[in-house]
């Protein structure tokens, strides 16, 4: 949510910042701006809309320099507009600030500053920062002391980058709870909220930690803590390849990521099963004794990751037989749950930066609970703040609507449940082997589904004007119904709700008319006959049935207006397959309605505010 970039070196800063912002555009695309030292003065260019709008402005009014900062915004305080776009400045434009996160006490600070004569132009929380710094400098403080003083005044989770006119050779930065990375090139340093902007230019990267700040020139980097003590920067080799974040010929990241799922699964199987039946999670450092002692688990996550967690609950109760709850992080944090000593928390997060989930971790730690996390970014704050983490191995996910991360999360929750079950001697070896043999077949079954994507693409044209959708599934596929509805809502803006099939008659059936398509997941399972009854009930009310069934199913097919067959597999693993046609449906409907699925309105990847 909001992306920050910075640069000091010999290159043309305007193009370096633009390229960086394009890489971070998935974090927000309401407005964008840059601040650059141009012949010693701070020059600002900012524009409402996507980065393209800023690019056009820069063509009309270019800037020239080698040092600067930039920002792409997801609005929190103040509507998307040119005035609210970052960078923000003090009244003399001698300080320019870009910011990610929220300054929670900004109103109080703004009143104090206004009473001292400071004039504000925007409705943002950010604007207090340059004014606070200006106030400190006016009182004769050094830049260092100015920073140290304001850190104790601002509350919230944030990251900033700052230019000071009086030091035109350097870029300042600071963070408390929002990510900031520094990339090292040859005679140049880069700053970014996420790795994507550093892949092409930085051989090494340093992940700053909470309550760190500093500056860089083209040749020098200095980092300090919030007491002013120097910190030795720790650089790591940057190993991501550019192709991993490129669309590689696909029209959108979302469809690329949907189609990547079989190859991700091949990688997961290779890494986690070593070609055999021995499960291993080398990065997971929690001692086995602690894991096998756990008597209760609470999974906390948000959005798509929560849907994966809801299925994870089934896995953890079925295999290691540990009582498990799955909860929205944003509710978990504030409801003061009852926990006992051997309760453990599992946080699930693709980005590893979601503020709600992070707050859940801090809440758990305050209760002295162990926290393990499942993340797609092992350098993320959530990975760092957990007692141990598992890498979900999905590779960078850029599409705002999460797809490949969901199936990678599910796979890891499944394998982790089997791992804990075997630690606790809860699963017979034969059963374990049979399940893992089935896992090995998943990539080719996913391929088989994706090879039929054009069927769903054709259907999508029929739903261009549809106003409401309903999704139904039961047991393991109830969360898949929720996920299908979420996907459709977020990228095609069609209202959609997911329900457990059994709940239909308790209210939602009132929604059913001939105008409402109902997506029914009806795969082979004990509950199949009940799902068939639900479909009959919808049919009786003239609802349009879109069914997801196993190959060879004739009964539901005969009742359906649209029927998509997936390869046979056990119910427990079925969500890994049933979700794929739903991902495709939401993608193709969004495209048919002429929306950009990679940049859904009002959304951003990596939700770093609560
Ligand atoms: C939906 C989606 C969101 C995220 C949620 C949690 O497509 O992407 O619902 O799943 O914001 O994000 P992470 O997994 O990064 O914590």
């Amino acid at each position: 949510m909001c992306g920050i970039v910075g640069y000091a070196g010999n290159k043309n800063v305007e193009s370096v910042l633009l390229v960086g912002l394009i890489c971070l555009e998935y974090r927000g695309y309401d407005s964008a701006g840059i601040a650059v030292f141009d012949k010693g003065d701070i020059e600002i260019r900012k524009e409402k809309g996507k980065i393209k709008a800023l690019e056009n402005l820069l063509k009309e009014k270019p800037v020239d320099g080698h040092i600067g900062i930039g920002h792409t915004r997801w609005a929190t305080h103040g509507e998307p507009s040119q005035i609210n776009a970052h960078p923000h400045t003090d009244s003399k434009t001698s300080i320019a600030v870009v910011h990610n996160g929220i300054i929670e006490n900004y109103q109080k600070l703004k009143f104090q500053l206004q009473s001292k004569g400071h004039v504000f132009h925007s409705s943002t929380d950010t604007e207090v920062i340059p004014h606070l710094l200006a106030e400190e400098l006016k009182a004769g403080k050094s830049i260092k002391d100015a920073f140290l003083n304001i850190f104790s005044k601002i509350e919230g989770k944030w990251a900033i980058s700052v230019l000071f006119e009086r030091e035109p050779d350097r870029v300042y930065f600071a963070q408390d709870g929002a990510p900031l990375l520094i990339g090292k090139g040859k005679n140049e340093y880069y700053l970014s909220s996420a790795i994507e902007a550093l892949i092409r230019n930085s051989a090494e990267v340093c992940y700053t930690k909470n309550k760190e700040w500093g500056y860089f020139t083209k040749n020098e980097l200095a980092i300090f803590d919030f007491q002013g003590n120097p910190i030795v920067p720790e650089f790591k080799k940057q190993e991501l390849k550019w192709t991993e974040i490129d669309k590689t010929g696909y029209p959108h990241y979302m469809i690329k990521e949907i189609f990547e799922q079989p190859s991700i699964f091949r990688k997961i199987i290779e890494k986690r099963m070593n070609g055999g039946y021995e499960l291993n999670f080398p990065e997971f450092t929690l001692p086995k004794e602690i894991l096998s002692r756990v008597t209760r688990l609470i999974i906390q996550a948000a959005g798509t990751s929560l849907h994966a967690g809801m299925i994870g609950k089934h896995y953890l109760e079925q295999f290691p037989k540990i009582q498990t709850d799955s909860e929205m992080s944003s509710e978990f944090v504030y409801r003061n749950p009852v926990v006992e000593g051997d309760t453990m928390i599992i946080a699930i997060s693709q980005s590893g930066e979601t503020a709600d989930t992070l707050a859940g971790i801090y809440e758990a730690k305050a209760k002295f609970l162990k926290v393990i996390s499942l993340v797609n970014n092992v350098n993320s704050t959530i990975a760092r703040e957990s007692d141990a983490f598992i890498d979900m191995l999905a590779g960078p996910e850029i599409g705002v609507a999460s797809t490949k991360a969901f199936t990678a999360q599910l796979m890891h929750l499944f394998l982790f449940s089997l791992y804990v079950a075997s630690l606790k001697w809860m699963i017979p070896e034969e059963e374990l082997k049979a399940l893992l043999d089935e896992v090995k077949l998943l990539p080719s079954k996913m391929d088989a589904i994706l090879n039929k994507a054009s069927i769903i693409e054709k259907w999508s044209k029929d739903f261009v004007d549809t106003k409401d959708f309903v999704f139904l599934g039961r047991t393991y596929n109830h969360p898949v119904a929720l996920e299908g509805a979420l996907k459709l809502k977020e990228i095609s803006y069609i209202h959609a709700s997911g329900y457990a099939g059994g709940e239909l008659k308790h209210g939602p059936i009132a929604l059913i008319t001939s105008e409402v398509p109902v997506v029914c997941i009806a795969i082979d399972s004990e509950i199949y006959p009940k799902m068939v009854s639900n479909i009959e009930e919808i049919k009786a009310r003239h609802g349009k049935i879109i069914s997801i069934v196993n190959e060879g199913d004739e009964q539901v097919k005969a009742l359906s207006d649209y029927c998509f067959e997936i390869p046979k597999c056990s119910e427990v693993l079925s969500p890994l397959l049933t979700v794929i046609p739903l991902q495709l449906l939401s993608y193709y409907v969004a495209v048919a309605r002429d929306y950009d699925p990679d940049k859904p309105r009002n959304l951003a990847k990596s939700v770093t505010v609560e």
Side-chain angles (χ1 to χ4, degrees):
M1 223 158 225
C2 296
I4 291 177
V5 291
Y7 177 74
N10 296 318
K11 292 179 185 147
N12 174 304
V13 71
E14 177 187 306
S15 46
V16 172
L17 296 176
L18 272 178
V19 170
L21 289 176
I22 289 166
C23 294
L24 298 188
E25 197 173 18
Y26 68 92
R27 297 176 68 92
Y29 30 83
D30 293 336
S31 58
I34 61 173
V36 165
F37 283 119
D38 189 343
K39 298 174 198 70
D41 291 334
I42 294 179
E43 282 289 332
I44 309 263
R45 302 284 184 274
K46 53 186 188 175
E47 195 55 282
K48 183 182 167 185
K50 299 191 175 139
I51 312 250
K52 195 80 204 146
L54 174 66
E55 220 177 313
N56 291 339
L57 174 70
L58 283 163
K59 275 186 200 142
E60 273 172 45
K61 295 185 184 168
V63 285
D64 184 24
H66 305 283
I67 294 165
I69 56 179
H71 188 266
T72 181
R73 179 171 189 244
W74 184 86
T76 58
H77 298 64
E79 60 172 0
S81 67
Q82 202 265 352
I83 293 249
N84 288 333
H86 299 214
H88 291 282
T89 64
D90 64 325
S91 43
K92 293 187 194 142
T93 318
S94 61
I95 302 169
V97 174
V98 292
H99 161 225
N100 169 29
I102 287 182
I103 308 300
E104 286 171 356
N105 58 337
Y106 87 102
Q107 277 294 7
K108 192 175 117 204
L109 296 169
K110 194 167 171 175
F111 288 141
Q112 286 168 359
L113 287 158
Q114 280 168 329
S115 70
K116 291 179 184 161
H118 290 257
V119 177
F120 286 78
H121 301 285
S122 76
S123 325
T124 66
D125 51 343
T126 308
E127 203 179 353
V128 297
I129 300 171
H131 287 272
L132 281 172
L133 287 166
E135 190 64 20
E136 297 287 337
L137 298 184
K138 199 170 97 189
K141 303 265 170 43
S142 65
I143 289 179
K144 179 174 181 175
D145 287 338
F147 269 122
L148 296 180
N149 277 354
I150 75 156
F151 293 152
S152 58
K153 290 184 183 160
I154 54 182
E155 291 167 12
K157 303 268 176 257
W158 51 268
I160 55 173
S161 183
V162 188
L163 298 184
F164 292 92
E165 196 179 47
R166 62 163 78 168
E167 292 192 350
D169 64 337
R170 64 195 59 194
V171 170
Y172 280 87
F173 58 85
Q175 69 108 321
D176 190 7
L180 266 190
L181 289 65
I182 293 154
K184 194 179 352 182
K186 209 168 165 209
N187 298 326
E188 58 185 5
Y189 282 100
Y190 295 81
L191 181 75
S192 173
S193 298
I195 189 73
E196 287 83 3
L198 303 179
I199 294 178
R200 286 224 249 212
N201 45 42
S202 306
E204 292 179 60
V205 290
C206 166
Y207 289 81
T208 63
K209 301 197 180 73
N210 291 358
K211 298 194 192 301
E212 287 186 353
W213 71 284
Y215 65 84
F216 54 82
T217 66
K218 64 180 181 177
N219 297 316
E220 183 198 0
L221 166 69
I223 304 187
F224 308 92
D225 63 20
F226 277 11
Q227 282 69 51
N229 306 307
I231 306 256
V232 180
E234 284 171 34
F235 276 92
K236 293 184 184 176
K237 212 166 151 226
Q238 196 297 103
E239 315 223 46
L240 271 181
K241 292 189 195 69
W242 178 245
T243 47
E244 290 183 72
I245 63 153
D246 192 56
K247 280 193 253 178
T248 59
Y250 286 94
H252 299 104
Y253 281 109
M254 184 177 175
I255 192 72
K256 176 203 173 203
E257 288 162 2
I258 292 173
F259 272 82
E260 261 182 282
Q261 294 175 103
S263 63
I264 291 167
F265 269 59
R266 291 190 174 96
K267 186 166 103 188
I268 294 175
I269 290 165
E270 189 193 311
K271 290 222 169 178
R272 298 305 182 200
M273 289 156 66
N274 271 341
Y277 300 99
E278 205 181 317
L279 290 170
N280 68 94
F281 302 90
E283 73 281 26
F284 186 71
T285 50
L286 199 77
K288 289 179 181 165
E289 312 77 73
I290 298 188
L291 206 51
S292 46
R293 263 207 316 269
V294 174
T295 52
R296 185 167 168 234
L297 285 164
I298 302 176
I299 297 176
Q300 57 108 7
T304 292
S305 297
L306 174 63
H307 297 154
M310 291 168 78
I311 300 172
K313 165 188 160 72
H314 284 273
Y315 293 157
L316 288 155
E317 293 197 332
Q318 173 162 345
F319 299 115
K321 311 249 180 298
I322 302 175
Q323 188 208 333
T324 306
D325 295 305
S326 56
E327 297 198 30
M328 286 171 223
S329 304
S330 53
E331 290 297 311
F332 170 74
V333 178
Y334 296 105
R335 73 173 188 83
N336 197 17
V338 177
V339 290
E340 299 103 39
D342 287 331
T343 299
M344 192 184 283
I345 304 300
I346 301 184
I348 307 178
S349 176
Q350 186 285 127
S351 60
E353 301 294 346
T354 298
D356 291 321
T357 310
L358 193 55
I361 293 179
Y362 294 136
E363 174 66 15
K365 286 188 150 185
K367 291 182 155 45
F368 304 103
L369 301 175
K370 287 260 180 279
V371 178
I372 61 179
S373 61
L374 186 50
V375 289
N376 199 30
N377 177 359
V378 297
N379 295 301
S380 60
T381 315
I382 288 183
R384 231 178 11 244
E385 296 296 323
S386 304
D387 294 288
F389 66 83
I390 293 177
D391 181 357
M392 64 174 82
L393 301 172
E397 190 179 63
I398 314 279
V400 169
S402 188
T403 53
K404 62 177 184 171
F406 177 73
T407 46
Q409 284 163 344
L410 278 187
M411 188 74 275
H412 275 95
L413 285 161
F414 183 78
L415 297 176
F416 183 68
S417 304
L418 296 183
Y419 174 70
V420 181
S422 52
L423 281 185
K424 298 176 77 159
W425 305 100
M426 303 288 280
I427 185 161
E429 207 175 311
E430 283 319 302
E431 187 186 341
L432 179 72
K433 282 188 172 169
L435 286 165
L436 294 181
D437 279 337
E438 214 192 325
V439 166
K440 289 178 193 164
L441 299 175
L442 286 172
S444 56
K445 292 183 181 180
M446 289 176 156
D447 278 330
I449 294 173
L450 292 167
N451 287 340
K452 297 193 296 181
S454 58
I455 298 178
I456 297 178
E457 185 175 12
K458 213 179 291 157
W459 296 350
S460 66
K461 315 277 186 289
D462 296 351
F463 304 118
V464 170
D465 296 318
T466 302
K467 301 267 180 297
D468 292 288
F469 258 85
V470 170
F471 288 73
L472 294 185
R474 301 184 77 130
T475 64
Y476 292 94
N477 281 296
H478 166 223
V480 177
L482 301 183
E483 176 60 9
L486 174 64
K487 276 302 78 98
L488 190 74
K489 272 187 284 220
E490 65 181 326
I491 59 166
S492 68
Y493 319 139
I494 294 176
H495 172 260
S497 318
Y499 300 100
E503 274 295 290
L504 187 70
K505 57 191 174 296
H506 297 292
I509 199 160
L511 291 171
I512 307 299
T513 68
S514 59
E515 302 293 303
V516 181
V518 185
V519 180
C520 302
I521 306 169
I523 46 104
D524 295 342
S525 67
E526 255 183 37
I527 204 95
Y528 175 83
K530 304 274 187 243
M531 198 65 212
V532 175
S533 307
N534 293 149
I535 292 173
E536 295 277 12
E537 288 153 16
I538 299 159
K539 198 79 199 150
R541 282 146 187 98
H542 310 292
K544 264 191 216 115
I545 309 287
I546 303 174
S547 61
I548 312 294
V549 299
N550 284 121
E551 278 162 0
D553 180 311
E554 292 304 328
Q555 192 178 1
V556 170
K557 198 173 184 178
L559 294 169
S560 304
D561 299 275
Y562 305 82
C563 179
F564 192 89
E565 295 180 65
I566 63 165
K568 286 191 192 306
C569 84
S570 63
E571 188 191 6
V572 64
L573 285 170
S574 65
L576 293 149
L577 301 181
T578 53
V579 75
I580 298 177
L582 305 194
Q583 295 170 342
L584 290 169
L585 181 70
S586 63
Y587 172 78
Y588 286 122
V589 171
V591 172
R593 283 164 64 86
D594 217 12
Y595 295 126
D596 179 351
D598 285 343
K599 296 194 184 74
R601 74 178 173 222
N602 303 339
L603 292 178
K605 197 92 179 154
S606 198
V607 185
T608 51
V609 294
E610 267 191 72

